[in-house]
Amino acid sequence: MDLLAPQLAPFTIALGILALIAVAEVISVLMGAGVSGLLDSALPDIDVDMDVDAPDQGLPDIGGGNIIVAILAWLSVGRVPTLIILAALLFGFGVIGLVLQNTLYGMFGFMMPPWLAIIPAFVLALPVTRYIGLGLARIMPKEETSAVSTETFVGRLATIIRGIAREGQPAEAKLKDSEGLTHYLLVAPLESGTEFEPGQEVLIVQQNGATFLAITNPHPAAHI
């Protein structure tokens, strides 16, 4: 099996990127940092309010938010570090693609063109990514000692850590609850025409499904 054959190249590249991520993570950890920590721009805590044991299989209700937010939530983004989700997606895509192409070749003597093969491989990799994320979320250690209702987030300050938040386009933010524990959530501006950039502090004023609506911190001197 020639892993560098054009029909296999997308999947070999995906697994190669996964290997590079693993090497980079090991090196960065030895140097006292961590790629996952840099990617999440904070400690890799997870929000226990997100029920990883829920039996539902469909996309979550995002209260009118966009489909990208729903897909990210379904993939377990926010429950485990983002780097793990990316690694799971690369692993699933690469392995499924190689197995699919080689199965076709063994049974029928041909492989699909790479542009066509990536479609079923990517679609099948999505549920694999979801269940890897859910499984890891159940076993990863958590600092929380008691459940905290997301309703208590309203009225607290959060910091945008990734993306630019616009109306209908949430960005990822981190928030500390009354116990001092860190939670990650999706935040969008309450007011039309407002944008929040990474590093900006905002005040959570409303929950809308899986998204929290916020305004600019009215008291910039206040600390989170």
Side-chain angles (χ1 to χ4, degrees):
M1 178 174 62
D2 184 6
L3 295 178
L4 298 180
Q7 298 89 339
L8 302 179
F11 314 112
T12 303
I13 291 172
L15 294 176
I17 293 173
L18 175 60
L20 290 175
I21 290 175
V23 171
E25 176 69 8
V26 170
I27 293 175
S28 61
V29 168
L30 292 176
M31 295 177 63
V35 173
S36 59
L38 296 175
L39 184 62
D40 287 322
S41 301
L43 294 175
D45 298 330
I46 64 174
D47 186 350
V48 297
D49 298 317
M50 307 175 78
D51 187 1
V52 298
D53 295 315
D56 61 287
Q57 302 299 315
L59 294 176
D61 177 14
I62 57 173
N66 58 50
I67 188 63
I68 295 177
V69 175
I71 293 174
L72 290 176
W74 184 78
L75 287 173
S76 302
V77 172
R79 301 177 183 180
V80 295
T82 305
L83 189 67
I84 291 180
I85 299 299
L86 176 60
L89 183 60
L90 289 170
F91 173 79
F93 175 76
V95 171
I96 290 172
L98 291 177
V99 171
L100 176 62
Q101 289 287 62
N102 282 281
T103 299
L104 283 175
Y105 186 78
M107 295 179 64
F108 304 107
F110 72 92
M111 296 183 186
M112 287 187 287
W115 63 265
L116 181 60
I118 64 176
I119 298 175
F122 181 76
V123 171
L124 292 173
L126 292 177
V128 171
T129 302
R130 167 178 166 80
Y131 286 108
I132 290 177
L134 290 175
L136 290 175
R138 293 189 182 99
I139 63 176
M140 288 184 66
K142 306 175 181 64
E143 293 183 4
E144 290 83 349
T145 57
S146 60
V148 177
S149 171
T150 56
E151 295 178 357
T152 64
F153 295 168
V154 175
R156 303 195 68 85
L157 294 174
T159 301
I160 305 298
I161 61 173
R162 179 165 48 249
I164 298 177
R166 302 183 177 92
E167 183 180 12
Q169 182 181 320
E172 187 174 357
K174 69 175 182 178
L175 172 149
K176 286 189 177 181
D177 62 23
S178 58
E179 301 296 327
L181 301 174
T182 302
H183 301 266
Y184 296 90
L185 55 153
L186 295 171
V187 172
L190 175 67
E191 301 171 347
S192 177
T194 302
E195 293 185 353
F196 301 143
E197 298 183 352
Q200 184 173 351
E201 293 183 355
V202 298
L203 178 67
I204 306 297
V205 296
Q206 183 181 332
Q207 182 174 359
N208 184 15
T211 302
F212 291 83
L213 303 181
I215 61 174
T216 302
N217 180 10
H219 304 291
H223 297 286
I224 294 181

